[in-house]
Structure formats: C-alpha cells, structure tokens
Amino acid sequence: MIIRKANQGISAQRDKYLNTISTMMMEYILVFSICKDMIVRRQEIMSYLQQHLDHLELKTIELQDRKFTMSIKSRERLEYQIQKLIRSKGLQIGFISGERIG
C-alpha cells in the first residue's frame, strides 16, 4: 500500500515535469494584417514589442492579395497583447491566424 502511493506520487511528479517541458517547447506563428506604415517602422515596432513581451521574433512581412501580412514567432498565443501594443502606437493591425509549431 505504501509503495503504491509512493509510485503514484512519483508518477504524478513525472507527468507534471513532462507537461512543463512540452509547454516550454511549444511555439506559435501568429499572422497579422498590417498597415503600410508598419513596414517602414518594423524595426521600431519589433523593438517596442520585445520590450513588453518576451520571446518574439519577426518571421516575415509579405504582400498577399493586396494585403500586407506580418508573421511573428512566439512561445505563447499573444495576439491580443501584440494588437493592443501596436494600436497604442496609432497603427492598424488585425489578427488573421495562429498556428502551433514544434
């Protein structure tokens, strides 16, 4: 009985550890529709975002179907926070999609 409870405790700790590791390894690609001004100010904007949010990386800025899109790699789903920070700079942004990678 005591051994069974000890094994259950160890098993629970192992599961918690594995869940923590897998959560740390998850990354997301967040795609936004952006205004033309953001292309010119992309370095300034990314520096500003990185001051407020950890682990962001600008992946691409593209023109697709007459819309400019920006892809950001992140360890968390931060689309709301990113939009809020960019809008605080007076720029327009809209969230398109988020995809889990890794």
Side-chain angles (χ1 to χ4, degrees), residues 41-53:
R41 298 174 56 188
R42 66 183 173 272
Q43 290 178 331
E44 171 196 345
I45 296 299
M46 282 308 295
S47 293
Y48 178 69
L49 289 174
Q50 289 168 341
Q51 287 174 2
H52 295 280
L53 303 170

Side-chain angles (χ1 to χ4, degrees), residues 15-76:
D15 291 344
K16 184 178 177 182
Y17 175 75
L18 291 175
N19 285 338
T20 301
I21 288 176
S22 66
T23 301
M24 290 174 16
M25 297 166 106
M26 275 193 250
E27 292 183 321
Y28 297 89
I29 296 291
L30 307 173
V31 181
F32 298 91
S33 173
I34 59 172
C35 63
K36 289 186 258 179
D37 293 337
M38 281 194 56
I39 295 167
V40 176
R41 298 174 56 188
R42 66 183 173 272
Q43 290 178 331
E44 171 196 345
I45 296 299
M46 282 308 295
S47 293
Y48 178 69
L49 289 174
Q50 289 168 341
Q51 287 174 2
H52 295 280
L53 303 170
D54 292 332
H55 310 293
L56 294 181
E57 179 184 342
L58 178 63
K59 296 305 283 180
T60 63
I61 292 182
E62 299 175 342
L63 177 62
Q64 296 179 352
D65 299 326
R66 295 191 219 167
K67 289 184 185 176
F68 287 103
T69 60
M70 172 179 70
S71 300
I72 295 178
K73 185 176 176 182
S74 172
R75 290 189 183 169
E76 299 176 63

Side-chain angles (χ1 to χ4, degrees), residues 72-84:
I72 295 178
K73 185 176 176 182
S74 172
R75 290 189 183 169
E76 299 176 63
R77 294 283 308 249
L78 298 171
E79 60 270 13
Y80 175 75
Q81 293 92 329
I82 290 170
Q83 289 180 88
K84 185 176 175 183

